[in-house]
Amino acid sequence: DSDLAVHKIQGDKLGFYSQLGYYGARPAYRQQGGEFFIFYYEEEQHWIDSRYFYGASLFSKLVNEMDGYCLDDHNNWSFYNGSVLMYSEMLTSKCSKIEDVCCQEIKLSSSNSEVKTGNHSFYGEEPKESLGDYTAIGMNNGRYIYQKKNHDRFLEYGDRYWLVNPGVGKTSGHIHHSRGSVCPEHIEKEWQISDKNENGMWVWKDDPELKITCVKQMNDMRPQKTSPVAQPYIQIEPVEEASSVSAGAVVFGCLSMLLLSMMIIFFARRFYRAWGKGVHGKQLLFETMDME
């Protein structure tokens, strides 16, 4: 987090970072979708940023003067203002995820989009086409990249500015903010739109009515916790086990019946042969059961 002044000077180094291993016996971080690192610089016992790699202290622009194990243990941040390091109480670090802080679906709108002065519209065709609903599609420089649905229009954070352009990575576009914030919906004023001056040259024109509002945040899209109404998977398991047991019982019964039938036939034939020999009484039983 920081104020607009810090964003204007060092905004490209701000945003969301993810842990990428350890350095200096402490967690180290890399900017999500960006090229900056933040790590603990053991020689000077403070946290710094670097565009190059862990341990590179040259050209550091952000410094947190504390030696805690965690980056957010204490906020004592300073930023390079072009000549010296300047402390800013607005410059802070904290543990959070972008989906919990910034909106995934936003809306760009302006009441000036329909304003006309004579035959001249306040909004030209291109900036007017850039208004509408946008959805996050990825990350760049520690922030979300947004795209307008079914359009080649993108809102991204470039080199210390937010810009709506016709292609990711383009440095020209039609809606612009020269300072910015980590989340575009947190910017309340100073948006500009593209316009042609009397010489036909493209310039930036202030639109105090342009605003970005949150349509839907990740928290709103997460399923609410409710009492279970149906649990088909849990119910299926015992049903399948019961079916398999019943089938096994049927097969076992059939085999038993078959074996019993074969035994009856076998002993009946022995009985018939013994009877035909004229054997009677106990001797008939002994010969039938082969107990001689």
Side-chain angles (χ1 to χ4, degrees):
D1 291 339
S2 69
D3 59 6
L4 294 179
V6 179
H7 258 88
K8 187 173 184 178
I9 302 173
Q10 302 296 347
D12 56 340
K13 301 167 184 62
L14 307 180
F16 286 86
Y17 285 70
S18 297
Q19 184 178 346
L20 186 64
Y22 295 83
Y23 185 83
R26 288 165 175 76
Y29 303 88
R30 181 168 187 169
Q31 191 180 44
Q32 294 182 6
E35 55 183 14
F36 288 94
F37 303 91
I38 291 180
F39 57 89
Y40 181 73
Y41 189 48
E42 204 165 10
E43 289 186 19
E44 298 185 7
Q45 298 185 335
H46 58 206
W47 293 79
I48 63 174
D49 78 295
S50 173
R51 183 190 291 269
Y52 306 107
F53 50 84
Y54 295 161
S57 59
L58 292 176
F59 311 113
S60 176
K61 307 297 183 182
L62 301 176
V63 177
N64 190 8
E65 291 287 355
M66 70 97 181
D67 62 353
Y69 179 80
C70 296
L71 180 61
D72 56 349
D73 280 349
H74 181 64
N75 289 303
N76 191 21
W77 286 95
S78 299
F79 71 99
Y80 185 69
N81 66 0
S83 57
V84 296
L85 282 173
M86 176 181 294
Y87 169 76
S88 173
E89 63 180 7
M90 299 298 294
L91 188 56
T92 63
S93 56
K94 59 184 177 181
C95 183
S96 59
K97 296 180 179 179
I98 190 170
E99 58 265 28
D100 296 328
V101 179
C102 301
C103 286
Q104 280 213 327
E105 296 183 20
I106 57 176
K107 184 179 186 68
L108 280 67
S109 61
S110 173
S111 58
N112 284 330
S113 62
E114 303 299 331
V115 172
K116 286 187 176 181
T117 304
N119 295 326
H120 180 71
S121 297
F122 188 87
Y123 265 70
E125 180 180 350
E126 292 293 346
K128 189 172 184 178
E129 182 69 18
S130 300
L131 299 176
D133 295 332
Y134 285 72
T135 302
I137 59 171
M139 292 192 67
N140 186 39
N141 294 326
R143 298 157 176 84
Y144 274 143
I145 300 176
Y146 299 87
Q147 182 174 12
K148 184 177 179 181
K149 186 176 181 180
N150 300 325
H151 288 77
D152 292 334
R153 285 289 188 276
F154 304 87
L155 172 63
E156 64 173 319
Y157 189 83
D159 186 12
R160 297 185 290 274
Y161 57 80
W162 283 96
L163 180 70
V164 176
N165 55 33
V168 174
K170 290 184 69 68
T171 56
S172 60
H174 305 289
I175 295 179
H176 172 268
H177 195 283
S178 63
R179 298 184 184 181
S181 177
V182 172
C183 307
E185 69 272 16
H186 294 169
I187 305 171
E188 297 181 354
K189 56 185 179 179
E190 299 184 8
W191 284 99
Q192 298 176 311
I193 62 173
S194 61
D195 192 25
K196 285 188 176 181
N197 61 17
E198 56 186 12
N199 296 321
M201 302 293 292
W202 285 104
V203 295
W204 290 116
K205 178 173 67 174
D206 293 336
D207 180 9
E209 299 301 319
L210 196 155
K211 60 183 180 179
I212 296 181
T213 54
C214 181
V215 176
K216 186 177 293 184
Q217 196 164 359
M218 178 60 75
N219 290 335
D220 301 330
M221 295 187 280
R222 289 172 179 164
Q224 300 295 318
K225 292 183 179 180
T226 57
S227 299
V229 177
Q231 299 178 344
Y233 182 76
I234 296 176
Q235 292 175 355
I236 287 172
E237 284 189 338
V239 171
E240 288 183 351
E241 287 180 3
S243 300
S244 61
V245 170
S246 299
V250 171
V251 172
F252 179 78
C254 291
L255 291 175
S256 299
M257 290 290 292
L258 180 61
L259 182 60
L260 180 60
S261 299
M262 293 176 65
M263 290 178 64
I264 292 173
I265 294 173
F266 175 79
F267 287 111
R269 293 180 64 183
R270 290 183 63 88
F271 179 86
Y272 179 79
R273 285 198 297 268
W275 178 269
K277 295 178 182 179
V279 178
H280 300 283
K282 291 182 179 181
Q283 187 64 30
L284 178 60
L285 178 61
F286 290 156
E287 290 196 19
T288 300
M289 302 302 294
D290 196 19
M291 298 175 61
E292 294 185 292

